[in-house]
Every structure is written in C-alpha cells, then in structure tokens.
Amino acid sequence: MYRAEDHHWWYVGMRRITCALLDDAVGRGRPLEILDAGCGTGGAMEYIADYGRVVGCDFSAEALGFCTARGLGRLARASVDALPYPDSHFDLVVSFDVISDGDADDERALGEFARVLRPGGHLLLRLPAFSWLRGTHDAAVNVSHRFTKGELRGQLRRVGLEPTKMSYANMFLLPAAAARRLSDRLLARGAVASDLAIDVGAWNGPLASILSAEAPLIRRAGLPLGLTLIALASKA
C-alpha cells in the first residue's frame, strides 16, 4: 500500500472521487476536526488535510510506522470498533475499505463512527461491493464482506446516521474486472494475490483517467453498479 497509494491508478481515481464528494459536503480550508478511521499507511490523510485537521488511527503498528515515515503526526493505535475518542468530537469521519476487514465488526464500527461525530457531522465510507465480485484480491487484503447499497443504508440508519449520497464506483471497468474475478475462481482456486501488486505500466495513466471520469457522475447522480460502494451520511 505504501508503495502504491501515491501513484497506482485505483488510488488516484478514488482520490478524485473522494474529493469531489467532500468538496460538496464540507468544502476546503475549514477548521474541521477529522478522523481517518483505519488510516493504513497514511496516503489519504495527506489529501484529507485539505479539509481540516486530521487524526489517524489504525490497529496495525506497522501501518502507523509508514504514516510516521510520511511525516504524519496525530496518530493512535486503535481498532475502528473501539475508538479512543470522546463523544461528538469530530466534524468528519472518513473510513476507506476498513469495516469490510475480517477483523472488524462492521456494525459496531459504524456505531463508533456515529458516536464520535458531532451533530451535523459527516461520515464518508468506501467499501468493496457485491459478494459475487469476490476474488483473490479479497483473500490477499483480508476482505470478509462486500456490501450493497440497501444493506449499508439499513446499517447506517440503525446507528443514527442518515445516508445523503450513495453510489457505486469503478463501473466503467466493471466488465473487465468481473471477468477476471470470475476466471480467478475457476482457474486460481486458493490463490492469494492483491490487485495492487499488478504493474500495469503505461496503462496506469489511462486507467486513472477512466476511473477519475466517474467523479462528476458520482457527484451529481451516482452510478448504479461498480466494484466499490461509496456512502456519505450525516448525523442528525
């Protein structure tokens, strides 16, 4: 992740989609208190800082070491389903591909996100979508669950958060990705290989542009299908 998330096409495209949604929801340059819950190696913390003061937490000490190598501070080692922060502390919580992890209790984590959000605060989630898209990548990165809009909408409402925008993402590349995932099931049973390990060479720029082109569509109306589910919710 540390080597990939600054330049890999998937991270580049998702960064543009994320910023498009946050530009509308909270705007840049405000004195917001922000939590990156499950910050990994810190790539997202760097650009989320455009929206306020960012705190990062992750259960992995190794991941936090990479955050420190980036020069990031305000870090804590903690699980997303037991956050070490007081109630109503943050204006914005972001969590990217974390509560789908096999080690996380997804609904308890959502309850924790709601607890630490101030009234009127926002939660932005990014999660893998559709169980039929499971592949070797899921095994490599410990994804235990892939979500649908209806399922996640119900979970958010149960913890007191109201979804304001829900959309799938990575739709344009879905046919190719689905074909690969399905072929992996037939031809690579038991294999463990992350998509981030794939060097696409000269295709990296074009693929980043294809995924980035979804940003204005997701911002306006949303997309009906995709490998990823993105949800923006608010605390009443």
Side-chain angles (χ1 to χ4, degrees):
M1 283 180 63
Y2 181 73
R3 291 194 301 268
E5 60 186 332
D6 291 332
H7 62 83
H8 190 279
W9 65 269
W10 188 87
Y11 282 108
V12 172
M14 286 300 170
R15 179 165 64 243
R16 291 173 182 161
I17 290 169
T18 298
C19 290
L21 292 174
L22 289 180
D23 285 347
D24 280 350
V26 299
R28 298 185 188 230
R30 297 174 60 196
L32 302 180
E33 288 294 329
I34 304 171
L35 171 65
D36 186 348
C39 60
T41 61
M45 286 183 69
E46 293 188 319
Y47 66 83
I48 296 296
D50 289 345
Y51 300 90
R53 286 163 37 90
V54 186
V55 172
C57 76
D58 201 281
F59 190 69
S60 167
E62 184 179 11
L64 294 175
F66 282 109
C67 292
T68 301
R70 290 182 184 274
L72 298 169
R74 306 190 78 204
L75 301 168
R77 187 179 182 197
S79 170
V80 293
D81 52 24
L83 295 173
Y85 306 107
D87 296 356
S88 303
H89 187 70
F90 295 102
D91 302 291
L92 171 66
V93 174
V94 301
S95 187
F96 300 141
D97 300 291
V98 175
I99 68 169
S100 54
D101 193 304
D103 300 321
D105 181 328
D106 54 355
E107 195 140 344
R108 185 172 175 182
L110 291 173
E112 281 290 274
F113 300 161
R115 179 184 67 79
V116 301
L117 271 176
R118 292 170 179 158
H122 297 275
L123 169 67
L124 181 62
L125 292 172
R126 184 178 71 218
L127 294 165
F130 298 118
S131 59
W132 56 271
L133 285 170
R134 286 192 64 83
T136 59
H137 175 76
D138 296 79
V141 299
N142 197 29
V143 169
S144 66
H145 186 66
R146 303 182 72 92
F147 292 76
T148 64
K149 282 201 294 188
E151 174 191 19
L152 184 59
R153 183 182 293 110
Q155 288 182 306
L156 289 167
R157 286 176 173 162
R158 282 195 293 274
V159 299
L161 297 173
E162 182 59 30
T164 56
K165 169 75 74 174
M166 300 192 79
S167 175
Y168 293 104
N170 209 351
M171 184 179 78
F172 295 159
L173 297 170
L174 177 61
R180 180 196 163 117
R181 297 286 172 91
L182 295 174
S183 69
D184 282 349
R185 291 186 192 177
L186 297 174
L187 304 176
R189 291 180 181 274
V192 176
S194 170
D195 293 347
L196 298 181
I198 299 172
D199 182 1
V200 296
W203 282 100
N204 195 68
L207 289 171
S209 296
I210 291 170
L211 182 54
S212 298
E214 294 184 357
L217 302 176
I218 292 170
R219 186 179 192 175
R220 288 196 295 269
L223 297 174
L225 289 171
L227 282 91
T228 298
L229 174 59
I230 296 176
L232 186 67
S234 62
K235 183 175 180 178

